[in-house]
Amino acid sequence: MIQTISVLGSTGSIGTQTLDVADQLGLSVCALTAARNIELLERQIRKYKPALAVVFHEDKAAELRNNIKDTDTRVLAGMEGLIEAARMESADLVLNSVVGMVGLQPTIAAAEAKKDIALANKETLVAGGDLVTDAVKRSGVKLLPVDSEHSAIFQCLQGAPSNKALKKLILTASGGPFFGRTREELRDVTVEQALNHPNWSMGAKITIDSASMMNKGLEIIEAARLFEVDGDDIDVVVHRESIIHSLIEYTDNSVIAQLGVPDMRIPIQYAITYPERYPSPVAELSLAQIGKLTFFEPDYETFACLTACKRALRMGGVATAIANGANEEANMLFRQGKIRFLEIGELVTGAVDSVPNMTPTKVEDILLADRLARQYVRDRV
Ligand code: MG
């Protein structure tokens, strides 16, 4: 098993659970990064004694540097710092759980530094596409999914036949807090209602993405890139209980699923210990106690983000970076109370249809598409 990890985004939901798993497995931590939560980051630094800590926001980094003068941890800031944390000499694995496409350059940097990557930052693959997967292939490193659905598919694919024989991927979706509602009923929903997820405890950005089903749209794109499957061969089924985390279907119509209680420590641990498995403090699954599992078709009309992501994937080029950039902006504006819930889907759809598409050859092309998409959203609000 690996010994040392670098955790990008260590103060978020996945980051803190990753440190729980690291404790459980007895791993050491060589780098920790946060956007701005320096109080929690300081506690983590005092516990794990990493060589490097990074705070994305410059002024907060200066504050932390002052607060931990008595430790041996070096403090860096900004994208440069994140990239350095992704390239740590002593890291056997880089777990990237930053939020948003800010994780793109660190992921590519980790691949180029020949580090195996556990990826919780789906926006990296959605925005970066082939630039990321090509960098991973060139370096021959592992790109291990942490997202629960993608971990499920990855687990189902262990022992796949040599002729592949894969027919389709089936992603499960909880449906979020607004499952079954009409557009009319969603017109006036509040941020608080959207943040009330039925099954998973997650950060604010992804919880809103889950309510708008943008999260599932991003996950379709993520799955297409991770498993090299055509978007039309990826189905979504709403499964309210979040017990089946996803499925694969072979050409003989045999379907294989991965199940477990909804707890991210399972996919996090599997990404870290792959291909081995170790005991985990996560609760056992009791199917008899759950009683029944339910399944529904997703509502592509009400949840426009889902449709926009499928279209962006089909369009290729930087269209998925545009969908993602527009959503990052719209998601934030909704949380700030500046737009209504349904406008998220309208803005993402509008950006995919109107912001010019092109074939990216370098990271700058992706960053430009992202900026144009955000600008499109801001101009309309
Ligand atoms: Mg997921």
Side-chain angles (χ1 to χ4, degrees), residues 122 147-150 215-216 219:
K122 67 191 77 178
D147 210 344
S148 62
E149 295 80 357
H150 304 74
N215 185 51
K216 211 49 56 179
E219 290 183 352

PDB file of all heavy atoms in Angstrom, residues 122 147-150 215-216 219, ligand 1:
ATOM      1  N   LYS A 122     -14.345  16.472 -10.046  1.00  0.00           N
ATOM      2  CA  LYS A 122     -14.861  16.076 -11.363  1.00  0.00           C
ATOM      3  C   LYS A 122     -14.737  17.175 -12.397  1.00  0.00           C
ATOM      4  O   LYS A 122     -14.606  16.912 -13.583  1.00  0.00           O
ATOM      5  CB  LYS A 122     -16.312  15.599 -11.235  1.00  0.00           C
ATOM      6  CG  LYS A 122     -17.298  16.669 -10.841  1.00  0.00           C
ATOM      7  CD  LYS A 122     -18.648  16.067 -10.473  1.00  0.00           C
ATOM      8  CE  LYS A 122     -18.609  15.461  -9.081  1.00  0.00           C
ATOM      9  NZ  LYS A 122     -19.854  14.906  -8.604  1.00  0.00           N
ATOM     10  N   ASP A 147     -15.278   9.932  -6.893  1.00  0.00           N
ATOM     11  CA  ASP A 147     -16.716  10.159  -7.011  1.00  0.00           C
ATOM     12  C   ASP A 147     -17.418   8.806  -6.837  1.00  0.00           C
ATOM     13  O   ASP A 147     -16.998   7.803  -7.424  1.00  0.00           O
ATOM     14  CB  ASP A 147     -16.992  10.733  -8.411  1.00  0.00           C
ATOM     15  CG  ASP A 147     -18.198  11.642  -8.430  1.00  0.00           C
ATOM     16  OD1 ASP A 147     -18.983  11.595  -7.462  1.00  0.00           O
ATOM     17  OD2 ASP A 147     -18.363  12.384  -9.412  1.00  0.00           O
ATOM     18  N   SER A 148     -18.468   8.751  -6.010  1.00  0.00           N
ATOM     19  CA  SER A 148     -19.030   7.443  -5.621  1.00  0.00           C
ATOM     20  C   SER A 148     -19.524   6.644  -6.827  1.00  0.00           C
ATOM     21  O   SER A 148     -19.312   5.428  -6.888  1.00  0.00           O
ATOM     22  CB  SER A 148     -20.147   7.632  -4.599  1.00  0.00           C
ATOM     23  OG  SER A 148     -21.201   8.390  -5.164  1.00  0.00           O
ATOM     24  N   GLU A 149     -20.161   7.312  -7.784  1.00  0.00           N
ATOM     25  CA  GLU A 149     -20.688   6.612  -8.960  1.00  0.00           C
ATOM     26  C   GLU A 149     -19.550   6.021  -9.798  1.00  0.00           C
ATOM     27  O   GLU A 149     -19.640   4.902 -10.302  1.00  0.00           O
ATOM     28  CB  GLU A 149     -21.506   7.555  -9.844  1.00  0.00           C
ATOM     29  CG  GLU A 149     -22.780   8.092  -9.197  1.00  0.00           C
ATOM     30  CD  GLU A 149     -22.530   9.246  -8.236  1.00  0.00           C
ATOM     31  OE1 GLU A 149     -21.348   9.616  -8.021  1.00  0.00           O
ATOM     32  OE2 GLU A 149     -23.505   9.779  -7.678  1.00  0.00           O
ATOM     33  N   HIS A 150     -18.503   6.807  -9.940  1.00  0.00           N
ATOM     34  CA  HIS A 150     -17.393   6.392 -10.801  1.00  0.00           C
ATOM     35  C   HIS A 150     -16.541   5.340 -10.119  1.00  0.00           C
ATOM     36  O   HIS A 150     -16.019   4.442 -10.770  1.00  0.00           O
ATOM     37  CB  HIS A 150     -16.596   7.619 -11.221  1.00  0.00           C
ATOM     38  CG  HIS A 150     -17.487   8.628 -11.892  1.00  0.00           C
ATOM     39  ND1 HIS A 150     -18.382   9.381 -11.158  1.00  0.00           N
ATOM     40  CD2 HIS A 150     -17.689   8.933 -13.186  1.00  0.00           C
ATOM     41  CE1 HIS A 150     -19.084  10.132 -12.003  1.00  0.00           C
ATOM     42  NE2 HIS A 150     -18.685   9.876 -13.227  1.00  0.00           N
ATOM     43  N   ASN A 215     -24.951  18.138 -11.247  1.00  0.00           N
ATOM     44  CA  ASN A 215     -23.962  17.170 -10.771  1.00  0.00           C
ATOM     45  C   ASN A 215     -23.992  15.895 -11.607  1.00  0.00           C
ATOM     46  O   ASN A 215     -22.951  15.363 -11.985  1.00  0.00           O
ATOM     47  CB  ASN A 215     -24.204  16.854  -9.292  1.00  0.00           C
ATOM     48  CG  ASN A 215     -23.139  15.945  -8.718  1.00  0.00           C
ATOM     49  OD1 ASN A 215     -21.955  16.208  -8.854  1.00  0.00           O
ATOM     50  ND2 ASN A 215     -23.547  14.842  -8.115  1.00  0.00           N
ATOM     51  N   LYS A 216     -25.200  15.423 -11.923  1.00  0.00           N
ATOM     52  CA  LYS A 216     -25.283  14.187 -12.723  1.00  0.00           C
ATOM     53  C   LYS A 216     -24.824  14.447 -14.149  1.00  0.00           C
ATOM     54  O   LYS A 216     -24.198  13.585 -14.776  1.00  0.00           O
ATOM     55  CB  LYS A 216     -26.714  13.631 -12.682  1.00  0.00           C
ATOM     56  CG  LYS A 216     -26.821  12.132 -12.786  1.00  0.00           C
ATOM     57  CD  LYS A 216     -25.897  11.357 -11.856  1.00  0.00           C
ATOM     58  CE  LYS A 216     -26.055  11.702 -10.398  1.00  0.00           C
ATOM     59  NZ  LYS A 216     -25.140  10.902  -9.536  1.00  0.00           N
ATOM     60  N   GLU A 219     -21.252  14.333 -14.094  1.00  0.00           N
ATOM     61  CA  GLU A 219     -20.803  12.944 -13.894  1.00  0.00           C
ATOM     62  C   GLU A 219     -20.911  12.103 -15.158  1.00  0.00           C
ATOM     63  O   GLU A 219     -20.134  11.169 -15.352  1.00  0.00           O
ATOM     64  CB  GLU A 219     -21.580  12.310 -12.732  1.00  0.00           C
ATOM     65  CG  GLU A 219     -21.156  12.924 -11.407  1.00  0.00           C
ATOM     66  CD  GLU A 219     -21.811  12.313 -10.189  1.00  0.00           C
ATOM     67  OE1 GLU A 219     -22.738  11.489 -10.354  1.00  0.00           O
ATOM     68  OE2 GLU A 219     -21.404  12.658  -9.072  1.00  0.00           O
TER      69      GLU A 219
HETATM   70 MG    MG B   1     -21.136  11.563  -7.330  1.00  0.00          MG
END
